[in-house]
Amino acid sequence: MNPNPETGDFVAAFRDACTRRWGAVVSAVDDGTRGGCRIDCPPAMLVSLCGWLHTEMGFDLATLVVEDAGAGGWRLHYCFHTESGRVELCLAQPIEMTRVPSISAVVHAADWHEREIEDLFGLDFEGHPKLGEFVLHEHWPEGVNPLRADFAAGARNASTAPATEWTPPTIVDAPGAFVMPVGPVYSDFGEAAHFQLETVGEDVIVTYPRLFYKHRGVEKIAEGKTLADALLLAERFSGTSAFAHALALCQAAERIAGVAPPPRALALRALLAEFERLRHHAATITGLCASTALAVAASQAGLIEEALLRASAVATGHRYLFGVARPGGLACDVEPGAVADLARAAQTALADLDSLDAILRYTSSFLDRLEAVGIISPDQARAFGLVGPVARASGLTRDLRESLPYGAYDRVGFFVPVEQEGDGYARLRVLLAECRQSAAIIRALASRIPDGPVATPWTPSAGTALGWTEAPIGAAFHWLRLDAEGRVVRYRLTPPSFNNWHGFHLAAENFAFQDFPIILASVGLSVAECDR
Amino acid sequence: MMKWVRKGLASGIKSTRYPAAAETAPGVSPGRPRATRLAPAAAEELAARCPSGALTAQSGGIAVAHGRCVHCARCRQGEVTMSWENGYEWAGAEVATLADGLARAFGRSLHIRYLDAGACGACMSEARQLNNPYYNMHRLGFFITATPRTADVLLVAGPVTDAMRVALRATYDAMPEPKRVVAMGACALSGGVFGPSYAAGTGAAEVVPVDVQVPGCPPPPLALLHALLVVVERKPPQALGDDPPEAREGRT
């Protein structure tokens, strides 16, 4: 059995394993939070330690955080997690030294992290095969790194030169091969992103996504803000999963201050988070039905989505749950009558989804479009560190609500649905099964919300912490450093869409062109969440 | 297939009666703050609480600049609070720019190109709801189109990120005349919580001429419907600013 993170067994077990493998060279220390360890890592050991954690110990990369402390030098934090605990590798080096060993070869999920950091900080990851233009597109001046401490967040980029110089990279070398560009303005409702579909005629061989058209510099503009103002950003960088991200930031701030929200707040937070998941999944199912041109089903799913949006507004004052979470608890109480209304809305939505599912699974024209389309194998999902329903449709069981329980989740019973096929239909089945679980959690919580206040006073204190939630799209990690006044020094956001877009091309290989919208809809990713 | 026909028929008619009648179903709009009469000290305190500069203390109370409001609800929480309105007819426009008889040129159908210039996803989600049976915008002759070449209206969301400036301008230029630009949401109107910064601007007006503005974070579907009705001159635009009663009286 896995050691329980609450009892600290994980820390002891991990330190033993560490000593057995590395002797006195590496020492892991308890970081003071439940189930967390810290290792001060000598640079020469970085790659082998990360490789050991990932391949032998079964850890996944949560996030890679870089801090530019000016004269204090570089501080890098490699955060890993497993089903029983967390480990943070800390690396420090002088500010003049801009070369860091790349860990992408041993932990492939670090690939995009390193590319992003190279672009935003100017750190050079030695051994990484593909550094260069990534987040900042070709109009951005070379050598200007906006996340460096001496860069002013408000400095506007004067260059608005159009992207004439940019030519797409090609992989396919065959007679008649060409690239079909899609986006950034495409489809009826499409988020700004660009895709190059390489084809030799009818079938698309590979897809090359180009993202970050929507980069809003959230990590940079958060710096210097009060926590309350940073919370506005956490809610608004990906508005359709606002509550999950607000919660992750609040939990990080609470961990720094050592504040525990009251039981009523914890129960209501879990209830609202599941309500958001239900609505988000309903929206993904709407998109999937619409992508297969099944108009009646799309309309039916759209009705469910709107009913849930209305219920959110009635209970909390906002259709997307903005302004509800607050460090220490909730900004406003949800009255007992409103809790009952939310529970009722969730049960109605579930009944409607079930009746929709009952017809969908006998609609062969719909199933034909989903089955064996956009397949991601379990090995690929693990290697790319995929998260959320997409990973769970490819055989990975990880769910942060279960592996690293937060809030009220260790007190509610639920199971994590998993499918093995990794195709569009498996992803739909996972979404529907998760909707059933969310509705069950809501039902269980609504009947026994504890009485009492909804917030504990949160007082600012300096420190760092990692906050995490299982957002509708998957694991979200928010790493936070606050100063003594409670202002943000560094805010690193690793949303699930960032991980999953990294592996999106796996689902978009060797397919018929007309399946592209279906593959996009079935992975259900947010560009806003990835681009930040 | 018969099952789908039955399912569709069994759902009955769900569409709102708006604009023929007001929509009163709970939850269609989050509402928004309205200008409030307050003592000077209370007004100063409340205005300082507003993170986006939407509220300003004036003689007699607090004025609201709706285009800046990000619906954080801080002015609803605490001892002194703003009064709140529950409507959704929020779209504003310079009446002069709309009084050129363009509405007739669009005839009875309006084709809309949605453009994401760095929006968070909530604006797009609300715009998408216009296609669901509750709002069913097709009944009013409004359609979403995939290409700017056949679009009458460019519906822009987001603060306009650096990388989307060129695409926004190119899309606008590709639309045939006559055309209108509708900017939706606090980001597209003012940059919202993001702009101005190294990565994002202060809204659509920096790049394209904006005709109709829909405040909100995000604007609910009915506010968008109102904006489109303003474009075709079936509804009058609303003011984008709201002064406290005394200031209004003092001016007249």
mmCIF file of all heavy atoms in Angstrom, chain A residues 295-312:
data_model
loop_
_atom_site.group_PDB
_atom_site.id
_atom_site.type_symbol
_atom_site.label_atom_id
_atom_site.label_comp_id
_atom_site.label_asym_id
_atom_site.label_seq_id
_atom_site.Cartn_x
_atom_site.Cartn_y
_atom_site.Cartn_z
ATOM 1 N N ALA A 295 -26.483 17.493 -34.698
ATOM 2 C CA ALA A 295 -27.041 18.755 -34.212
ATOM 3 C C ALA A 295 -27.946 18.591 -32.997
ATOM 4 O O ALA A 295 -27.889 19.373 -32.056
ATOM 5 C CB ALA A 295 -27.792 19.446 -35.347
ATOM 6 N N VAL A 296 -28.784 17.563 -33.013
ATOM 7 C CA VAL A 296 -29.728 17.415 -31.894
ATOM 8 C C VAL A 296 -28.963 17.139 -30.602
ATOM 9 O O VAL A 296 -29.241 17.723 -29.557
ATOM 10 C CB VAL A 296 -30.750 16.290 -32.170
ATOM 11 C CG1 VAL A 296 -31.710 16.166 -30.989
ATOM 12 C CG2 VAL A 296 -31.521 16.587 -33.436
ATOM 13 N N ALA A 297 -27.964 16.256 -30.688
ATOM 14 C CA ALA A 297 -27.185 15.940 -29.492
ATOM 15 C C ALA A 297 -26.441 17.168 -28.987
ATOM 16 O O ALA A 297 -26.382 17.413 -27.772
ATOM 17 C CB ALA A 297 -26.197 14.806 -29.800
ATOM 18 N N ALA A 298 -25.890 17.959 -29.915
ATOM 19 C CA ALA A 298 -25.173 19.168 -29.506
ATOM 20 C C ALA A 298 -26.125 20.134 -28.809
ATOM 21 O O ALA A 298 -25.788 20.743 -27.796
ATOM 22 C CB ALA A 298 -24.517 19.831 -30.717
ATOM 23 N N SER A 299 -27.345 20.259 -29.335
ATOM 24 C CA SER A 299 -28.329 21.132 -28.710
ATOM 25 C C SER A 299 -28.700 20.633 -27.315
ATOM 26 O O SER A 299 -28.814 21.416 -26.374
ATOM 27 C CB SER A 299 -29.601 21.201 -29.557
ATOM 28 O OG SER A 299 -29.346 21.870 -30.761
ATOM 29 N N GLN A 300 -28.893 19.326 -27.213
ATOM 30 C CA GLN A 300 -29.266 18.756 -25.914
ATOM 31 C C GLN A 300 -28.164 18.989 -24.887
ATOM 32 O O GLN A 300 -28.423 19.361 -23.752
ATOM 33 C CB GLN A 300 -29.539 17.255 -26.055
ATOM 34 C CG GLN A 300 -30.746 16.923 -26.913
ATOM 35 C CD GLN A 300 -32.054 17.311 -26.243
ATOM 36 O OE1 GLN A 300 -32.166 17.287 -25.028
ATOM 37 N NE2 GLN A 300 -33.043 17.704 -27.030
ATOM 38 N N ALA A 301 -26.916 18.754 -25.293
ATOM 39 C CA ALA A 301 -25.799 18.962 -24.366
ATOM 40 C C ALA A 301 -25.658 20.448 -24.040
ATOM 41 O O ALA A 301 -25.330 20.819 -22.911
ATOM 42 C CB ALA A 301 -24.507 18.410 -24.969
ATOM 43 N N GLY A 302 -25.941 21.318 -25.038
ATOM 44 C CA GLY A 302 -25.890 22.761 -24.813
ATOM 45 C C GLY A 302 -26.911 23.204 -23.772
ATOM 46 O O GLY A 302 -26.653 24.093 -22.961
ATOM 47 N N LEU A 303 -28.073 22.554 -23.775
ATOM 48 C CA LEU A 303 -29.100 22.880 -22.773
ATOM 49 C C LEU A 303 -28.594 22.547 -21.366
ATOM 50 O O LEU A 303 -28.808 23.308 -20.418
ATOM 51 C CB LEU A 303 -30.381 22.075 -23.046
ATOM 52 C CG LEU A 303 -31.209 22.471 -24.269
ATOM 53 C CD1 LEU A 303 -32.361 21.491 -24.469
ATOM 54 C CD2 LEU A 303 -31.762 23.880 -24.104
ATOM 55 N N ILE A 304 -27.916 21.409 -21.246
ATOM 56 C CA ILE A 304 -27.384 20.993 -19.938
ATOM 57 C C ILE A 304 -26.374 22.023 -19.444
ATOM 58 O O ILE A 304 -26.411 22.468 -18.293
ATOM 59 C CB ILE A 304 -26.720 19.603 -20.054
ATOM 60 C CG1 ILE A 304 -27.746 18.561 -20.492
ATOM 61 C CG2 ILE A 304 -26.053 19.208 -18.742
ATOM 62 C CD1 ILE A 304 -27.148 17.217 -20.863
ATOM 63 N N GLU A 305 -25.483 22.420 -20.359
ATOM 64 C CA GLU A 305 -24.428 23.374 -20.016
ATOM 65 C C GLU A 305 -25.031 24.693 -19.519
ATOM 66 O O GLU A 305 -24.647 25.220 -18.478
ATOM 67 C CB GLU A 305 -23.604 23.604 -21.285
ATOM 68 C CG GLU A 305 -22.255 24.214 -21.089
ATOM 69 C CD GLU A 305 -21.625 24.558 -22.441
ATOM 70 O OE1 GLU A 305 -21.962 23.925 -23.461
ATOM 71 O OE2 GLU A 305 -20.802 25.483 -22.464
ATOM 72 N N GLU A 306 -25.998 25.222 -20.258
ATOM 73 C CA GLU A 306 -26.591 26.504 -19.889
ATOM 74 C C GLU A 306 -27.340 26.399 -18.558
ATOM 75 O O GLU A 306 -27.284 27.315 -17.733
ATOM 76 C CB GLU A 306 -27.516 26.985 -21.007
ATOM 77 C CG GLU A 306 -28.339 28.228 -20.693
ATOM 78 C CD GLU A 306 -27.524 29.518 -20.534
ATOM 79 O OE1 GLU A 306 -26.353 29.542 -20.955
ATOM 80 O OE2 GLU A 306 -28.078 30.493 -19.987
ATOM 81 N N ALA A 307 -28.008 25.266 -18.332
ATOM 82 C CA ALA A 307 -28.723 25.103 -17.059
ATOM 83 C C ALA A 307 -27.731 25.144 -15.894
ATOM 84 O O ALA A 307 -28.021 25.732 -14.842
ATOM 85 C CB ALA A 307 -29.500 23.789 -17.064
ATOM 86 N N LEU A 308 -26.553 24.545 -16.081
ATOM 87 C CA LEU A 308 -25.551 24.547 -15.013
ATOM 88 C C LEU A 308 -24.960 25.943 -14.819
ATOM 89 O O LEU A 308 -24.686 26.365 -13.693
ATOM 90 C CB LEU A 308 -24.444 23.533 -15.330
ATOM 91 C CG LEU A 308 -24.878 22.058 -15.284
ATOM 92 C CD1 LEU A 308 -23.792 21.148 -15.824
ATOM 93 C CD2 LEU A 308 -25.243 21.651 -13.865
ATOM 94 N N LEU A 309 -24.763 26.669 -15.922
ATOM 95 C CA LEU A 309 -24.259 28.042 -15.815
ATOM 96 C C LEU A 309 -25.235 28.910 -15.016
ATOM 97 O O LEU A 309 -24.846 29.700 -14.161
ATOM 98 C CB LEU A 309 -24.061 28.645 -17.210
ATOM 99 C CG LEU A 309 -22.833 28.169 -17.991
ATOM 100 C CD1 LEU A 309 -22.932 28.594 -19.448
ATOM 101 C CD2 LEU A 309 -21.568 28.741 -17.374
ATOM 102 N N ARG A 310 -26.531 28.741 -15.310
ATOM 103 C CA ARG A 310 -27.542 29.530 -14.602
ATOM 104 C C ARG A 310 -27.559 29.168 -13.119
ATOM 105 O O ARG A 310 -27.647 30.055 -12.257
ATOM 106 C CB ARG A 310 -28.920 29.293 -15.220
ATOM 107 C CG ARG A 310 -29.041 29.896 -16.601
ATOM 108 C CD ARG A 310 -30.436 29.719 -17.168
ATOM 109 N NE ARG A 310 -30.485 30.280 -18.523
ATOM 110 C CZ ARG A 310 -31.583 30.355 -19.259
ATOM 111 N NH1 ARG A 310 -32.730 29.922 -18.781
ATOM 112 N NH2 ARG A 310 -31.539 30.870 -20.473
ATOM 113 N N ALA A 311 -27.453 27.886 -12.833
ATOM 114 C CA ALA A 311 -27.467 27.466 -11.426
ATOM 115 C C ALA A 311 -26.268 28.057 -10.685
ATOM 116 O O ALA A 311 -26.380 28.474 -9.528
ATOM 117 C CB ALA A 311 -27.465 25.946 -11.338
ATOM 118 N N SER A 312 -25.093 28.114 -11.353
ATOM 119 C CA SER A 312 -23.907 28.712 -10.729
ATOM 120 C C SER A 312 -24.171 30.170 -10.389
ATOM 121 O O SER A 312 -23.820 30.641 -9.308
ATOM 122 C CB SER A 312 -22.698 28.646 -11.674
ATOM 123 O OG SER A 312 -22.436 27.332 -12.053
#
